[in-house]
Amino acid sequence: MSERTPARPRVDWGVVAAVTLTLLVSIGGLHTVLQGSGWLFAAGVTVVTGLVASAALRAIRVPSGLATLGGTLALVAVVVLLTAPQTAIAGLVPTPETLERWGALAAGARQSLAEQSVPAVAGPGLVFLLVAGSAVLAVVFDLLAFVLKVPALVGFQALVLVIVPVLFPGGSIDPVVVVATAAAWLAVLVLTRDERRRPLAASVLGAGALAGALALTVALPSVPSRALPVSGSGTGINPVISLGDNLRRGADAPVLAYTTEDGSGQYLRMLTIDDFSGDEWGPSGLATEVFEVSELPDQAPGVAPEVPSAPVRTAITIGALDTRWLPAPYAATQVDGLTGGWTFEPNTITISTGSGGTRDQDYEVTSLVVAPTPDQLEGRTTPREGFEPYLEIPEGLPEIVGATARDVAGDEGSAYAQAIALQDYFRVGGGFVYSEQAPLNGDYDGAGIGILEGFLQAKSGYCTHFASAMTLMARTLGIPARVAIGYLPGTALGEGAFQVNANDLHAWPELYFEGAGWVRFEPTVSRGELPQYAQGASPSEPGAEPSVPQNDEVPSTAPSSGATVSPSASETPSAPAVAGATPGARDDESTPTFVLAGLLVLAFVPLVVRRLLRARRLAALRSGRRGARPAWDELVATARDVGIDLETGETPRAFAARLAPRAPEDTLDRLLTGIERDFYGSPAPAAGLEGDLVEVTQALLDNSSPATRAAAIAIPRSLVGGRREFQAPLAPVRGG
Amino acid sequence: MDASTFHGFAQGILRAVGTVIDGKPDAVRTALTVLLAEGHLLIEDVPGVGKTMLARALARSVDGTVTRIQFTPDLLPSDITGVSIFNQQTRAFEFNPGPVFANIVIGDEINRASPKTQSALLESMEERQVTVDGRSHRLYSPFTVIATQNPVEMEGTYALPEAQRDRFMARISMGYPDLTAELAMLRDRETASPLDALAPVVDLPTLARMIDYVRTVYVSPAVEQYAVRIVQTTRRDAALRLGASPRATLQLVRAAKAAAALDGREFVLPDDVDALSVPVLAHRLLPTGRSTSSGTDSLTVATEAVRRIVAATSVPVGAPVPS
């Protein structure tokens, strides 16, 4: 009795376009964690190729499942073309070599994920990961939308994608992407007509995806945020990039504590950066030879005997901090109490371990505090031989770096005077301000010499910018220079005890002077403390406390933010105070992100439950176990969704009469007759109601206003309230 | 007889009666429903709206024996049931059947007769036989009484006691015709009586088979329960002093079966029950004194009560599980 609705075209290109768009937009949500747009283009090409290829196959009447297979083959070809064309036959057909290449790319991607912090540079590895992932998603979307015929459920996959960025520390969900994804998905829903097939299987898939999304949301707060510049023992780790993130994260959790004999605060140095080429800065290959930590030299490298130096003993206790580099004052001559195997590199006195880490270490460092006087430094020359790596000007160094260096210090007579001039330029004269957020906003965050141009123009940045800029400027002036990374002296607790927090993480330049060795400078405005020698050969009273008036320059009212000459660590500036509200902003933002993600998931619950109910009713109707009751229930529910409630005491016929203006008359009549015959007629299996039911309920939606329709889909009223009809009595049936 | 044949005949009757009674399809339909359900019909309304005309048209469209009794205050019971008369030639008492011996009996202005006479008719309606001088005589089959009465407030009437109203399957009122129907009636009646032109549509055996068919219409347990719930609710209603009897339940379902058959359906819908609940139940109910004290007549109160109960009784849905 039910005639199937007239055959539709085999491919509804509108739905294909909407499904493709949904996937594309949701992938685009990764823009908050990836730099550039090349990756999006690659993913876009992949997605469009896969979905259009399978749709085109369907259009020429290839069976749906086979069409998905064809689309998958097209996807493989496009992934090969985008990621490893040189290894493939004709650039498209993968060979064993292609698989090897993919393996390498995947490994590269893993490493890249471990090393980079967001927004990350999408190198070949990440692009491969992204393209391959997009290809898999394209197949899933194709299966859901066109084989299982439940296009609506692609929304859940898209939802998971949209949530992905918050998995990365510092990642965030772009509300625009959320809205755009939702809009694209609504387009899918509105364009969709037929979902009578396989709703149950698809519902299971959809429910699984939703459960996954929920689980992710629940798990998200427990994703450990890397409060450290470097973590684990990985190689090629880029501490510079994560430094900014760590500062911004504003975690002032204590990372270590130490006491010194003489009560002085100590810069705790961990490693040096001297290779500024490429996007990722790091220690150069200079450190070829390492020695056991017990073999530390008694003297700081390159320090002449006449330069005064005093040994200081520092007892350090590390808590949760876990890196392969040991925080230690410069220059360490002896380290006791370490567990595990530790080595040092003689050029830099960087102490590191190949296995284990710093977590829970409790050790004592004896170090020489080298304190040359300005006069001693004044006469020093700067060497060239043996220091080539520290003088190397990286390719593509922005013009402004050298030019500024010449402007600021070109006229000075000695290398020391040039260094002081550079430091003063940053701290006092140049009008620089300290900001952890500005580089991010100005898009010159991270590493790579390109950022220096932005920094020098904006005159706003944090320690990495100051330190690397001064280092490279010194190099252009012929002074060997490198960047040291470690911790500021921290907060004095009294009696020689200090506490160092995560946001005391710092970077500073070290410049080499013949006879004085590596000398620390402090160009970062408002942070750190100036060593006496670095206060400049003040014309009047060297060694006195020149009042460096940078407090006027710094947009901060923090009284301790001045770079006081006093070595007292109690004067250690507090980074959050200096940086205003910026540190911690990310944490504050991420909480609403979780809430938003949670709400987003919750917002889809009514829709999913409603769809599942509908799928269950359609399945029950098909099975015939409960007669026409599921058809009636679904009809009443859909009508309620669009604002027509079944009244108490209303018969099916009276109810249908009220639906009549909004539904095709013949189909509604057939459906009603079927329902009545099943409910009240002599027992006979109700059959063929499904098609009529789908048509009538769809018509009810179609003939409602767009607002009603959207509400019916997103927040179905039928889930709550509504009249509860009593089930027919279970009395034996007479007559038969 | 199957549903479509039945439907054909029924439509023929409705059309034929409709040529005489203008603009009252509902009344005509209910009247035919009662006829087919072997019930008796009470038509109650003011004089001159076509009560008798409906009764006669319905009777005439069926080719059976039709008698008409004009009830007056001096009518005796034997004037209805018949009398035994001594036959001089056979030297025996012979029963001389009264007008109640017919397929369709039209009782005009039944409430003008004395209660004694009324009860003679009403007993024969229920028993479908009359007993005269100790001998029982079966009435014809099919047998339907179509009684008309004026509203009880009219002069010179004896209101039917509730026990006797209960014998009627349904009560309808004609109501005044609307403007067009009254105009049409004027034109038609000026020239000729349409009643005279009315030819029988079905013969007696066909009518009997139609009545047999109605008995076979399927009533699902769901609908049975629905009808029972409605009737039982009338017994609990605050506005009613007397609810409907179990006989009312029986007649409600029987009438619903006829209504379903009239629609060409072989099973009863809750809609059939709904549509017949007022005609079948309202005249059996007695409102409380308080509910009629505001000047509303008792029938109106009862009608409203039935409508309210039907609207509040939820409809069972879902097929029962076969055992």
Side-chain angles (χ1 to χ4, degrees), chain B residues 149-199:
Chain B
Q149 74 169 358
N150 292 326
V152 289
E153 289 79 7
M154 292 274 178
E155 281 179 29
T157 57
Y158 302 89
L160 285 177
E162 52 269 20
Q164 297 191 349
R165 286 204 300 269
D166 200 31
R167 307 269 163 87
F168 288 97
M169 176 179 273
R171 182 211 72 95
I172 59 173
S173 69
M174 301 290 292
Y176 292 108
D178 61 18
L179 185 70
T180 47
E182 200 160 349
L183 279 172
M185 185 195 73
L186 258 186
R187 273 195 303 278
D188 293 347
R189 305 293 147 81
E190 256 337 274
T191 50
S193 168
L195 194 59
D196 295 338
L198 187 62

Short mmCIF file of all heavy atoms in Angstrom, two decimals, chain B residues 149-199:
data_model
loop_
_atom_site.label_atom_id
_atom_site.label_comp_id
_atom_site.label_asym_id
_atom_site.label_seq_id
_atom_site.Cartn_x
_atom_site.Cartn_y
_atom_site.Cartn_z
N GLN B 149 -40.85 13.26 20.16
CA GLN B 149 -41.51 13.89 21.31
C GLN B 149 -41.18 15.37 21.33
O GLN B 149 -40.15 15.81 20.85
CB GLN B 149 -41.13 13.21 22.62
CG GLN B 149 -39.74 13.51 23.13
CD GLN B 149 -39.53 13.01 24.55
OE1 GLN B 149 -40.44 12.47 25.18
NE2 GLN B 149 -38.34 13.20 25.06
N ASN B 150 -42.12 16.12 21.89
CA ASN B 150 -41.89 17.53 22.09
C ASN B 150 -41.12 17.72 23.39
O ASN B 150 -41.21 16.89 24.28
CB ASN B 150 -43.21 18.29 22.15
CG ASN B 150 -43.91 18.28 20.81
OD1 ASN B 150 -43.27 18.31 19.77
ND2 ASN B 150 -45.24 18.19 20.83
N PRO B 151 -40.43 18.80 23.48
CA PRO B 151 -39.73 19.06 24.75
C PRO B 151 -40.70 19.01 25.90
O PRO B 151 -41.84 19.43 25.78
CB PRO B 151 -39.14 20.45 24.55
CG PRO B 151 -39.01 20.59 23.08
CD PRO B 151 -40.14 19.82 22.48
N VAL B 152 -40.22 18.51 27.03
CA VAL B 152 -41.10 18.24 28.15
C VAL B 152 -41.76 19.49 28.71
O VAL B 152 -42.76 19.41 29.38
CB VAL B 152 -40.35 17.52 29.27
CG1 VAL B 152 -40.05 16.10 28.85
CG2 VAL B 152 -39.08 18.28 29.64
N GLU B 153 -41.21 20.62 28.41
CA GLU B 153 -41.79 21.83 28.97
C GLU B 153 -43.10 22.19 28.29
O GLU B 153 -43.83 23.07 28.73
CB GLU B 153 -40.81 23.01 28.85
CG GLU B 153 -39.60 22.93 29.76
CD GLU B 153 -38.52 21.99 29.24
OE1 GLU B 153 -38.67 21.51 28.09
OE2 GLU B 153 -37.56 21.72 29.98
N MET B 154 -43.36 21.53 27.16
CA MET B 154 -44.58 21.86 26.44
C MET B 154 -45.81 21.40 27.24
O MET B 154 -45.73 20.47 28.05
CB MET B 154 -44.58 21.14 25.08
CG MET B 154 -43.52 21.67 24.14
SD MET B 154 -44.17 23.09 23.26
CE MET B 154 -42.77 23.55 22.29
N GLU B 155 -46.96 22.02 26.93
CA GLU B 155 -48.19 21.69 27.67
C GLU B 155 -48.71 20.32 27.28
O GLU B 155 -48.55 19.87 26.14
CB GLU B 155 -49.26 22.72 27.36
CG GLU B 155 -49.08 24.00 28.13
CD GLU B 155 -50.15 25.02 27.78
OE1 GLU B 155 -51.25 24.57 27.42
OE2 GLU B 155 -49.85 26.22 27.85
N GLY B 156 -49.32 19.66 28.20
CA GLY B 156 -50.02 18.41 27.92
C GLY B 156 -49.11 17.27 27.60
O GLY B 156 -49.37 16.47 26.71
N THR B 157 -47.97 17.23 28.28
CA THR B 157 -47.04 16.13 27.99
C THR B 157 -46.70 15.40 29.27
O THR B 157 -46.71 15.96 30.36
CB THR B 157 -45.74 16.64 27.36
OG1 THR B 157 -45.15 17.59 28.25
CG2 THR B 157 -45.98 17.27 26.02
N TYR B 158 -46.40 14.11 29.13
CA TYR B 158 -45.89 13.30 30.24
C TYR B 158 -44.45 12.94 29.92
O TYR B 158 -44.20 12.18 28.97
CB TYR B 158 -46.72 12.01 30.42
CG TYR B 158 -48.19 12.27 30.65
CD1 TYR B 158 -49.09 12.38 29.59
CD2 TYR B 158 -48.68 12.37 31.97
CE1 TYR B 158 -50.43 12.60 29.81
CE2 TYR B 158 -50.03 12.60 32.20
CZ TYR B 158 -50.91 12.72 31.12
OH TYR B 158 -52.23 12.93 31.32
N ALA B 159 -43.53 13.50 30.67
CA ALA B 159 -42.12 13.23 30.36
C ALA B 159 -41.82 11.75 30.54
O ALA B 159 -42.32 11.11 31.45
CB ALA B 159 -41.23 14.04 31.29
N LEU B 160 -40.97 11.23 29.61
CA LEU B 160 -40.57 9.83 29.74
C LEU B 160 -39.66 9.70 30.96
O LEU B 160 -38.72 10.46 31.12
CB LEU B 160 -39.78 9.39 28.50
CG LEU B 160 -40.57 9.12 27.22
CD1 LEU B 160 -39.61 8.76 26.10
CD2 LEU B 160 -41.58 8.02 27.43
N PRO B 161 -39.98 8.72 31.84
CA PRO B 161 -39.07 8.48 32.97
C PRO B 161 -37.72 7.98 32.45
O PRO B 161 -37.63 7.39 31.36
CB PRO B 161 -39.77 7.40 33.79
CG PRO B 161 -40.93 6.94 33.01
CD PRO B 161 -41.09 7.77 31.79
N GLU B 162 -36.66 8.23 33.26
CA GLU B 162 -35.31 7.91 32.79
C GLU B 162 -35.15 6.44 32.45
O GLU B 162 -34.45 6.08 31.52
CB GLU B 162 -34.25 8.36 33.81
CG GLU B 162 -34.45 7.87 35.21
CD GLU B 162 -35.26 8.87 36.04
OE1 GLU B 162 -35.97 9.73 35.46
OE2 GLU B 162 -35.18 8.80 37.25
N ALA B 163 -35.84 5.58 33.21
CA ALA B 163 -35.72 4.15 32.93
C ALA B 163 -36.21 3.83 31.53
O ALA B 163 -35.73 2.92 30.86
CB ALA B 163 -36.49 3.35 33.96
N GLN B 164 -37.17 4.61 31.08
CA GLN B 164 -37.71 4.33 29.76
C GLN B 164 -36.92 5.02 28.66
O GLN B 164 -36.81 4.51 27.55
CB GLN B 164 -39.17 4.74 29.74
CG GLN B 164 -39.92 3.90 30.74
CD GLN B 164 -41.42 4.03 30.64
OE1 GLN B 164 -41.93 4.90 29.95
NE2 GLN B 164 -42.13 3.16 31.34
N ARG B 165 -36.37 6.19 29.01
CA ARG B 165 -35.49 6.83 28.01
C ARG B 165 -34.30 5.91 27.70
O ARG B 165 -33.77 5.90 26.61
CB ARG B 165 -34.96 8.16 28.56
CG ARG B 165 -36.00 9.26 28.57
CD ARG B 165 -35.33 10.61 28.54
NE ARG B 165 -34.44 10.82 29.68
CZ ARG B 165 -34.82 11.38 30.84
NH1 ARG B 165 -36.07 11.78 31.00
NH2 ARG B 165 -33.96 11.53 31.82
N ASP B 166 -33.89 5.14 28.71
CA ASP B 166 -32.74 4.27 28.56
C ASP B 166 -32.95 3.24 27.45
O ASP B 166 -32.01 2.70 26.91
CB ASP B 166 -32.47 3.57 29.89
CG ASP B 166 -31.06 3.04 29.99
OD1 ASP B 166 -30.16 3.66 29.38
OD2 ASP B 166 -30.85 2.02 30.67
N ARG B 167 -34.24 2.96 27.12
CA ARG B 167 -34.52 1.96 26.09
C ARG B 167 -34.15 2.45 24.71
O ARG B 167 -33.96 1.67 23.80
CB ARG B 167 -36.02 1.62 26.09
CG ARG B 167 -36.57 1.22 27.43
CD ARG B 167 -36.46 -0.29 27.61
NE ARG B 167 -36.61 -0.64 29.04
CZ ARG B 167 -37.79 -0.86 29.61
NH1 ARG B 167 -38.88 -0.77 28.92
NH2 ARG B 167 -37.85 -1.19 30.88
N PHE B 168 -34.13 3.77 24.55
CA PHE B 168 -33.77 4.29 23.24
C PHE B 168 -32.26 4.29 23.07
O PHE B 168 -31.52 4.71 23.96
CB PHE B 168 -34.30 5.72 23.04
CG PHE B 168 -35.79 5.77 22.88
CD1 PHE B 168 -36.63 6.05 23.96
CD2 PHE B 168 -36.35 5.52 21.62
CE1 PHE B 168 -37.99 6.08 23.80
CE2 PHE B 168 -37.72 5.55 21.48
CZ PHE B 168 -38.56 5.83 22.57
N MET B 169 -31.83 3.76 21.92
CA MET B 169 -30.40 3.72 21.68
C MET B 169 -29.85 5.13 21.58
O MET B 169 -28.80 5.42 22.12
CB MET B 169 -30.10 2.95 20.40
CG MET B 169 -28.62 2.94 20.04
SD MET B 169 -28.28 2.01 18.54
CE MET B 169 -28.08 0.37 19.20
N ALA B 170 -30.56 5.99 20.89
CA ALA B 170 -30.04 7.34 20.69
C ALA B 170 -31.16 8.35 20.68
O ALA B 170 -32.30 8.03 20.36
CB ALA B 170 -29.27 7.42 19.37
N ARG B 171 -30.81 9.52 21.05
CA ARG B 171 -31.72 10.63 20.99
C ARG B 171 -31.09 11.70 20.13
O ARG B 171 -29.92 12.04 20.29
CB ARG B 171 -31.97 11.20 22.38
CG ARG B 171 -32.96 12.34 22.42
CD ARG B 171 -32.63 13.31 23.53
NE ARG B 171 -31.44 14.09 23.20
CZ ARG B 171 -31.52 15.29 22.63
NH1 ARG B 171 -32.67 15.86 22.38
NH2 ARG B 171 -30.40 15.93 22.36
N ILE B 172 -31.87 12.20 19.18
CA ILE B 172 -31.34 13.32 18.40
C ILE B 172 -32.36 14.44 18.42
O ILE B 172 -33.54 14.22 18.73
CB ILE B 172 -31.04 12.93 16.94
CG1 ILE B 172 -32.31 12.43 16.25
CG2 ILE B 172 -29.94 11.89 16.87
CD1 ILE B 172 -32.15 12.20 14.77
N SER B 173 -31.88 15.60 18.13
CA SER B 173 -32.84 16.70 17.91
C SER B 173 -32.57 17.23 16.53
O SER B 173 -31.45 17.13 16.02
CB SER B 173 -32.68 17.77 18.98
OG SER B 173 -31.46 18.44 18.80
N MET B 174 -33.58 17.73 15.92
CA MET B 174 -33.46 18.13 14.52
C MET B 174 -32.80 19.51 14.42
O MET B 174 -31.93 19.73 13.61
CB MET B 174 -34.83 18.19 13.85
CG MET B 174 -35.57 16.87 13.87
SD MET B 174 -34.81 15.63 12.81
CE MET B 174 -35.14 16.35 11.21
N GLY B 175 -33.28 20.40 15.25
CA GLY B 175 -32.80 21.78 15.12
C GLY B 175 -33.48 22.45 13.94
O GLY B 175 -34.00 21.79 13.04
N TYR B 176 -33.50 23.76 13.98
CA TYR B 176 -34.13 24.49 12.88
C TYR B 176 -33.25 24.42 11.64
O TYR B 176 -32.01 24.42 11.75
CB TYR B 176 -34.36 25.95 13.27
CG TYR B 176 -35.40 26.13 14.34
CD1 TYR B 176 -35.05 26.50 15.63
CD2 TYR B 176 -36.75 25.89 14.05
CE1 TYR B 176 -35.99 26.64 16.62
CE2 TYR B 176 -37.71 26.04 15.04
CZ TYR B 176 -37.33 26.42 16.33
OH TYR B 176 -38.28 26.54 17.29
N PRO B 177 -33.86 24.36 10.46
CA PRO B 177 -33.04 24.36 9.24
C PRO B 177 -32.39 25.73 9.06
O PRO B 177 -32.89 26.74 9.55
CB PRO B 177 -34.05 24.07 8.13
CG PRO B 177 -35.37 24.51 8.68
CD PRO B 177 -35.29 24.31 10.17
N ASP B 178 -31.29 25.75 8.36
CA ASP B 178 -30.68 27.05 8.08
C ASP B 178 -31.40 27.72 6.92
O ASP B 178 -32.35 27.16 6.35
CB ASP B 178 -29.18 26.92 7.83
CG ASP B 178 -28.87 26.05 6.64
OD1 ASP B 178 -29.79 25.82 5.80
OD2 ASP B 178 -27.73 25.57 6.52
N LEU B 179 -30.97 28.92 6.55
CA LEU B 179 -31.70 29.75 5.59
C LEU B 179 -31.89 29.03 4.26
O LEU B 179 -33.02 28.90 3.75
CB LEU B 179 -30.93 31.06 5.38
CG LEU B 179 -31.63 32.08 4.49
CD1 LEU B 179 -32.84 32.67 5.17
CD2 LEU B 179 -30.64 33.18 4.09
N THR B 180 -30.81 28.53 3.69
CA THR B 180 -30.92 27.91 2.37
C THR B 180 -31.79 26.68 2.42
O THR B 180 -32.59 26.44 1.51
CB THR B 180 -29.52 27.55 1.84
OG1 THR B 180 -28.82 26.88 2.88
CG2 THR B 180 -28.75 28.79 1.41
N ALA B 181 -31.62 25.87 3.50
CA ALA B 181 -32.40 24.64 3.59
C ALA B 181 -33.87 24.97 3.70
O ALA B 181 -34.73 24.32 3.09
CB ALA B 181 -31.93 23.84 4.80
N GLU B 182 -34.18 26.02 4.44
CA GLU B 182 -35.59 26.37 4.62
C GLU B 182 -36.18 26.89 3.31
O GLU B 182 -37.32 26.59 2.95
CB GLU B 182 -35.72 27.39 5.74
CG GLU B 182 -37.13 27.45 6.32
CD GLU B 182 -37.18 28.07 7.72
OE1 GLU B 182 -36.11 28.26 8.31
OE2 GLU B 182 -38.30 28.33 8.19
N LEU B 183 -35.38 27.68 2.58
CA LEU B 183 -35.83 28.17 1.28
C LEU B 183 -36.07 27.02 0.31
O LEU B 183 -37.09 26.96 -0.40
CB LEU B 183 -34.79 29.14 0.69
CG LEU B 183 -34.82 30.58 1.23
CD1 LEU B 183 -33.61 31.34 0.72
CD2 LEU B 183 -36.12 31.26 0.84
N ALA B 184 -35.13 26.07 0.29
CA ALA B 184 -35.26 24.93 -0.60
C ALA B 184 -36.51 24.14 -0.27
O ALA B 184 -37.24 23.69 -1.16
CB ALA B 184 -34.02 24.05 -0.49
N MET B 185 -36.74 24.01 1.05
CA MET B 185 -37.92 23.28 1.49
C MET B 185 -39.20 23.95 0.99
O MET B 185 -40.11 23.29 0.50
CB MET B 185 -37.92 23.22 3.02
CG MET B 185 -39.02 22.38 3.61
SD MET B 185 -39.18 22.73 5.36
CE MET B 185 -39.96 24.34 5.30
N LEU B 186 -39.23 25.30 1.07
CA LEU B 186 -40.39 26.05 0.59
C LEU B 186 -40.71 25.71 -0.85
O LEU B 186 -41.84 25.43 -1.22
CB LEU B 186 -40.10 27.55 0.70
CG LEU B 186 -40.72 28.31 1.87
CD1 LEU B 186 -40.43 29.79 1.73
CD2 LEU B 186 -42.23 28.03 1.93
N ARG B 187 -39.66 25.76 -1.69
CA ARG B 187 -39.87 25.50 -3.12
C ARG B 187 -40.36 24.08 -3.34
O ARG B 187 -41.30 23.83 -4.08
CB ARG B 187 -38.54 25.71 -3.86
CG ARG B 187 -38.32 27.16 -4.29
CD ARG B 187 -37.21 27.21 -5.32
NE ARG B 187 -35.96 26.61 -4.81
CZ ARG B 187 -35.10 27.28 -4.04
NH1 ARG B 187 -35.35 28.53 -3.69
NH2 ARG B 187 -34.01 26.69 -3.63
N ASP B 188 -39.69 23.11 -2.66
CA ASP B 188 -40.02 21.72 -2.91
C ASP B 188 -41.45 21.40 -2.49
O ASP B 188 -42.19 20.74 -3.20
CB ASP B 188 -39.05 20.80 -2.15
CG ASP B 188 -37.64 20.91 -2.69
OD1 ASP B 188 -37.49 21.50 -3.79
OD2 ASP B 188 -36.70 20.44 -2.02
N ARG B 189 -41.80 21.89 -1.31
CA ARG B 189 -43.07 21.48 -0.75
C ARG B 189 -44.26 22.15 -1.44
O ARG B 189 -45.39 21.67 -1.35
CB ARG B 189 -43.16 21.78 0.75
CG ARG B 189 -42.05 21.22 1.57
CD ARG B 189 -42.12 19.69 1.60
NE ARG B 189 -40.77 19.12 1.68
CZ ARG B 189 -40.09 19.02 2.80
NH1 ARG B 189 -40.63 19.40 3.92
NH2 ARG B 189 -38.90 18.52 2.81
N GLU B 190 -44.04 23.27 -2.12
CA GLU B 190 -45.13 23.97 -2.79
C GLU B 190 -45.75 23.09 -3.86
O GLU B 190 -46.94 23.03 -4.03
CB GLU B 190 -44.62 25.27 -3.43
CG GLU B 190 -44.95 26.56 -2.74
CD GLU B 190 -46.16 26.53 -1.81
OE1 GLU B 190 -47.29 26.73 -2.31
OE2 GLU B 190 -46.00 26.31 -0.59
N THR B 191 -44.85 22.40 -4.60
CA THR B 191 -45.34 21.67 -5.77
C THR B 191 -45.83 20.28 -5.42
O THR B 191 -46.95 19.91 -5.74
CB THR B 191 -44.24 21.57 -6.83
OG1 THR B 191 -43.06 21.08 -6.19
CG2 THR B 191 -43.95 22.93 -7.42
N ALA B 192 -44.98 19.51 -4.72
CA ALA B 192 -45.39 18.14 -4.43
C ALA B 192 -44.73 17.69 -3.16
O ALA B 192 -43.74 18.26 -2.74
CB ALA B 192 -44.98 17.21 -5.57
N SER B 193 -45.28 16.69 -2.53
CA SER B 193 -44.64 16.15 -1.34
C SER B 193 -43.50 15.24 -1.76
O SER B 193 -43.73 14.25 -2.46
CB SER B 193 -45.66 15.37 -0.51
OG SER B 193 -44.97 14.64 0.48
N PRO B 194 -42.28 15.57 -1.39
CA PRO B 194 -41.16 14.70 -1.79
C PRO B 194 -41.26 13.32 -1.18
O PRO B 194 -40.72 12.38 -1.72
CB PRO B 194 -39.93 15.47 -1.27
CG PRO B 194 -40.44 16.42 -0.26
CD PRO B 194 -41.88 16.73 -0.62
N LEU B 195 -42.00 13.26 -0.09
CA LEU B 195 -42.14 11.96 0.55
C LEU B 195 -42.85 10.98 -0.36
O LEU B 195 -42.52 9.80 -0.41
CB LEU B 195 -42.90 12.13 1.87
CG LEU B 195 -42.85 10.97 2.84
CD1 LEU B 195 -41.41 10.64 3.21
CD2 LEU B 195 -43.67 11.27 4.08
N ASP B 196 -43.84 11.50 -1.10
CA ASP B 196 -44.58 10.62 -1.99
C ASP B 196 -43.69 10.07 -3.09
O ASP B 196 -43.90 8.96 -3.59
CB ASP B 196 -45.75 11.39 -2.63
CG ASP B 196 -46.76 11.80 -1.55
OD1 ASP B 196 -46.75 11.13 -0.48
OD2 ASP B 196 -47.48 12.79 -1.75
N ALA B 197 -42.68 10.89 -3.48
CA ALA B 197 -41.80 10.49 -4.58
C ALA B 197 -40.74 9.51 -4.12
O ALA B 197 -39.98 8.99 -4.92
CB ALA B 197 -41.14 11.71 -5.22
N LEU B 198 -40.66 9.30 -2.80
CA LEU B 198 -39.58 8.48 -2.27
C LEU B 198 -39.88 7.01 -2.46
O LEU B 198 -40.87 6.50 -1.95
CB LEU B 198 -39.41 8.79 -0.77
CG LEU B 198 -38.22 8.15 -0.07
CD1 LEU B 198 -36.92 8.63 -0.69
CD2 LEU B 198 -38.25 8.49 1.41
N ALA B 199 -39.03 6.35 -3.23
CA ALA B 199 -39.21 4.93 -3.47
C ALA B 199 -38.30 4.15 -2.54
O ALA B 199 -37.21 4.63 -2.19
CB ALA B 199 -38.87 4.60 -4.92
#
